[in-house]
Amino acid sequence: MGLVFDWSESPETTVILCFHMNTHRTQKQEQEQEEEEARHEWDLSLSTVVSSSSSSASDVVGAIEFDPTDNILATAGISRKIRFYGLASLLRNTAGVCGGAGGGVNFVDQVTACEYYICTPAKLSSLRWRPGSCSRVIGSGDYDGVVTEYDLERRTPVFERDEHGGRRVWSVDYTRHGGAAAVGASGSDDGTMQVWDPRCPPEESVGVVRPAGLCRSAVCCVEFDPSGGHAVAVGCADRRGYVYDMRKLVDPALTLQGHTKTVSYVRFLDGGTVVTAGTDGCLKLWSVEDGGVIRTYEGHVNNRNFVGLSVWRNGALFGCGSENNRVFVYDRRWRKPVWVDGFEPVGMTSGSDKRFVSSVCWRQSGVDQCTLVAGGSDGVLQVYVGKRKP
């Protein structure tokens, strides 16, 4: 005989059930409202295109970085050059940081737009401005496994480390606290994250981390907590992300497991969340408290190449490239892109169907206005500006 409930005899049960149903309905409505706001909160548009008549597959932009003042832009890639641009000059005739009225897209030649450049001995995969240097020193990682710092006033190398055994350095970063005493780290194809102090001799090391252990899977990305905490996040070819405490580098404090292919990028959104990108074609937002996935983002195409990942912390927006030659922007509140734009077919010849967006970088300044710069596999730069809708 089945068990039958007589609801008329259980008023407390009915009240509890109704309460839970109303709570669930309210939570669903709040989530739908958040998603609706995410889809329509920002108005982004293309402002400037920087190209060259010689743009080709030999000029892939592998790294884009704003200096600490957010006014100088540095780019690097396989051209063996670090190029420097003044953002104000790139946006001079558009509605950007200068507050102009804007009159459409500004097309400029790379030779004209670039203020100066530094030649490097090898192809570069990573750039990072050294904290406490007043935008005078920039660090780089190259295809020959060398980390080099350049003095921009003298335009010469002032520091060099070669502890990765000639294996490609994919990523370089510095701690944000400590000023001139900032510690650096580099991730490489050799399966290690090397931690070092730029003030010490190159042969001295603060620590060596092998996230994948004996597997020696490539370390594709390293990033210190930009808020000044003790955490450093690592992305690896073993399909995992890791978060370490700099005070105890022996074992990871967290393992971020959920991607099905290489974790190519890892970025702190704030002190409590981390964003990862994988060549499985998705981004993931993780809790640093327990290592759980908060949300997965899909829409861009990424199966093979490094396509860039950058977060704008003030607006909680993520930018990434795509192998269909488009730029994608996600809002942390919604799993689908809130904005997509294709790269202009500037200066291209036959065989251009394999172009892709290879690097992106947000300008961190601003609350209601934003700037995103993207670089392509053909060497073209595109600058986007955006504002929060009323």
Side-chain angles (χ1 to χ4, degrees):
M1 181 175 178
L3 184 64
V4 179
F5 288 97
D6 183 357
W7 294 104
S8 63
E9 296 180 2
S10 305
E12 295 87 356
T13 304
T14 304
V15 170
I16 292 172
L17 180 62
C18 290
F19 173 78
H20 285 302
M21 290 177 64
N22 289 334
T23 300
H24 177 73
R25 188 181 298 113
T26 301
Q27 290 175 341
K28 186 177 180 180
Q29 289 172 345
E30 290 176 351
Q31 181 180 350
E32 290 175 349
Q33 182 178 351
E34 270 200 351
E35 292 178 352
E36 184 68 18
E37 290 175 355
R39 289 195 291 269
H40 302 290
E41 187 171 2
W42 294 96
D43 183 13
L44 293 106
S45 60
L46 178 62
S47 170
T48 304
V49 177
V50 181
S51 63
S52 170
S53 57
S54 61
S55 292
S56 66
S58 63
D59 204 14
V60 177
V61 179
I64 305 172
E65 287 292 325
F66 280 102
D67 81 320
T69 70
D70 270 336
N71 294 318
I72 302 173
L73 186 71
T75 69
I78 66 175
S79 64
R80 293 185 171 88
K81 291 179 180 178
I82 307 176
R83 295 186 172 96
F84 299 89
Y85 303 85
L87 183 62
S89 64
L90 292 180
L91 300 175
R92 182 171 295 147
N93 299 317
T94 60
V97 293
C98 299
V105 180
N106 184 28
F107 292 88
V108 295
D109 186 79
Q110 184 185 82
V111 175
T112 304
C114 179
E115 295 188 353
Y116 66 96
Y117 62 84
I118 295 175
C119 293
T120 64
K123 302 172 183 177
L124 300 183
S125 52
S126 179
L127 289 175
R128 192 71 87 189
W129 296 84
R130 179 174 165 181
S133 69
C134 299
S135 301
R136 177 175 172 172
V137 178
I138 192 168
S140 68
D142 68 30
Y143 279 39
D144 292 342
V146 179
V147 174
T148 306
E149 290 185 345
Y150 292 89
D151 185 306
L152 303 190
E153 289 188 3
R154 292 186 282 172
R155 302 187 187 181
T156 57
V158 292
F159 173 84
E160 187 175 285
R161 293 186 67 89
D162 185 11
E163 70 275 337
H164 287 290
R167 303 294 298 278
R168 183 183 308 186
V169 174
W170 284 112
S171 180
V172 173
D173 196 22
Y174 297 92
T175 55
R176 305 303 196 273
H177 59 277
V183 172
S186 53
S188 167
D189 266 343
D190 68 355
T192 69
M193 175 180 70
Q194 300 277 346
V195 184
W196 33 268
D197 189 332
R199 300 168 301 171
C200 297
E203 61 272 11
E204 295 184 12
S205 178
V206 174
V208 180
V209 177
R210 294 180 174 83
L214 297 177
C215 295
R216 292 186 175 273
S217 296
V219 175
C220 302
C221 186
V222 298
E223 180 166 282
F224 291 101
D225 181 355
S227 66
H230 296 284
V232 56
V234 181
C236 290
D238 67 350
R239 302 175 294 178
R240 297 178 177 90
Y242 302 89
V243 179
Y244 288 85
D245 188 318
M246 281 293 294
R247 297 165 296 184
K248 186 182 178 182
L249 288 171
V250 178
D251 296 305
L254 283 175
T255 298
L256 311 177
Q257 190 165 350
H259 284 283
T260 58
K261 295 178 71 175
T262 295
V263 177
S264 48
Y265 297 96
V266 56
R267 300 283 185 253
F268 282 92
L269 180 60
D270 49 45
T273 53
V274 168
V275 185
T276 58
T279 53
D280 53 3
C282 68
L283 311 181
K284 290 182 181 291
L285 181 67
W286 309 79
S287 167
V288 176
E289 295 297 323
D290 57 11
V293 178
I294 299 172
R295 187 167 287 112
T296 298
Y297 307 85
E298 295 178 308
H300 62 288
V301 180
N302 186 200
N303 299 309
R304 177 180 180 182
N305 299 291
F306 281 62
V307 297
L309 173 67
S310 182
V311 301
W312 181 39
R313 299 180 181 91
N314 291 343
L317 299 179
F318 319 143
C320 69
S322 178
E323 289 167 0
N324 61 3
N325 210 31
R326 289 178 170 85
V327 181
F328 285 72
V329 173
Y330 295 89
D331 187 296
R332 69 165 292 168
R333 298 169 293 180
W334 195 45
R335 62 187 183 87
K336 293 295 184 180
V338 297
W339 184 80
V340 181
D341 189 67
F343 251 44
E344 293 288 327
V346 177
M348 294 305 301
T349 57
S350 60
S352 61
D353 57 313
K354 294 184 179 180
R355 291 173 302 159
F356 61 95
V357 176
S358 52
S359 187
V360 295
C361 186
W362 287 101
R363 185 174 186 253
Q364 293 301 319
S365 298
V367 175
D368 295 320
Q369 294 184 333
C370 59
T371 304
L372 174 68
V373 180
S377 59
D378 52 6
V380 173
L381 285 181
Q382 294 198 172
V383 184
Y384 299 92
V385 294
K387 60 182 179 181
R388 197 187 301 268
K389 295 179 181 178

